[in-house]
Amino acid sequence: MKCYEAVWEIFNECANNQMRDVFFEEIETDNIEDWLHRKFKGKELTFERSVLADGTILYDIDASGIKQRYSFTEI
């Protein structure tokens, strides 16, 4: 199994608050997309995947109308 440092950002929908909630965790998985589906079980989930030049894997997520982003860096 691969081990990743994951950064989870939840974007604030309030117009006057530009801050976002940010959480850090280490996860082990062989399939990030399966992991995301389990993480957001019960939510209407769509996402876009992109890979940065340094190998970081980004998922821009809409989970039942809440905009979020997960960044995965293999460790």
Side-chain angles (χ1 to χ4, degrees):
M1 244 188 239
K2 292 183 179 180
C3 187
Y4 297 92
E5 178 184 69
V7 180
W8 179 23
E9 300 171 81
I10 304 171
F11 298 95
N12 192 319
E13 295 181 8
C14 297
N16 295 328
N17 186 348
Q18 299 301 313
M19 299 300 290
R20 60 183 86 165
D21 294 327
V22 180
F23 305 93
F24 297 87
E25 59 188 310
E26 287 186 15
I27 65 159
E28 290 185 11
T29 185
D30 285 324
N31 188 316
I32 294 172
E33 292 183 12
D34 285 346
W35 185 88
L36 286 171
H37 282 286
R38 286 191 307 273
K39 171 85 174 177
F40 294 101
K41 185 177 181 177
K43 305 279 185 195
E44 201 172 306
L45 182 67
T46 59
F47 52 77
E48 283 187 31
R49 180 183 187 269
S50 56
V51 180
L52 301 180
D54 67 357
T56 300
I57 303 167
L58 294 180
Y59 284 89
D60 288 304
I61 300 167
D62 184 318
S64 296
I66 299 174
K67 303 290 183 196
Q68 304 177 49
R69 176 177 291 141
Y70 252 106
S71 304
F72 296 89
T73 306
E74 194 170 348
I75 51 176

